[in-house]
Amino acid sequence: MATATPSCPATRSKVIELYFMEHRAKVLDLAAFLDRLDRASDDLGHEDFRVAALKEAMRIVLDGKGERAKRVLDHFSDPTDQPLESAAGMKGAFGVYPGVKRGAR
């Protein structure tokens, strides 16, 4: 557990009391999603980059280091600073950067 200087006005027990059930449900949702993927027939032949990014994000969440939300958001974000040459054919976001990243954050 990270030992940061307390900056939250609530105690840990209050934070757990207020938010545990909400986050328990989110973990169950993730587990169900991954179970559903395991049960689905493989039409890709490789792991989808979004699923790989999600699994790496879970490792970041559990690594015990601070600034988890920032590091997960950075992990999902496009690290480049150049705009796309063309957004033709793109109708929405992928939710994670589809390019190759070097090293986990």
Side-chain angles (χ1 to χ4, degrees), residues 2-103:
T3 54
T5 304
S7 61
C8 178
T11 62
R12 286 180 185 240
S13 59
K14 189 66 175 178
V15 170
I16 294 167
E17 180 182 319
L18 290 172
Y19 303 109
F20 175 78
M21 292 303 287
E22 172 188 348
H23 293 84
R24 175 184 177 271
K26 292 177 181 179
V27 170
L28 285 170
D29 192 40
L30 274 172
F33 171 68
L34 294 174
D35 285 346
R36 191 173 303 121
L37 275 176
D38 288 346
R39 292 189 311 267
S41 61
D42 185 3
D43 63 339
L44 297 172
H46 59 85
E47 186 166 55
D48 182 272
F49 69 95
R50 294 163 291 193
V51 175
L54 187 64
K55 289 178 179 177
E56 179 58 28
M58 287 188 268
R59 280 190 276 279
I60 293 170
V61 168
L62 296 174
D63 71 7
K65 299 175 185 174
E67 296 189 317
R68 292 174 189 89
K70 177 190 181 305
R71 290 186 296 128
V72 167
L73 186 58
D74 286 347
H75 174 67
F76 287 149
S77 299
D78 182 345
T80 63
D81 57 2
Q82 297 298 316
L84 295 174
E85 286 185 26
S86 171
M90 295 183 66
K91 292 185 176 180
F94 293 117
V96 299
Y97 178 65
V100 176
K101 290 185 178 180
R102 291 176 174 77

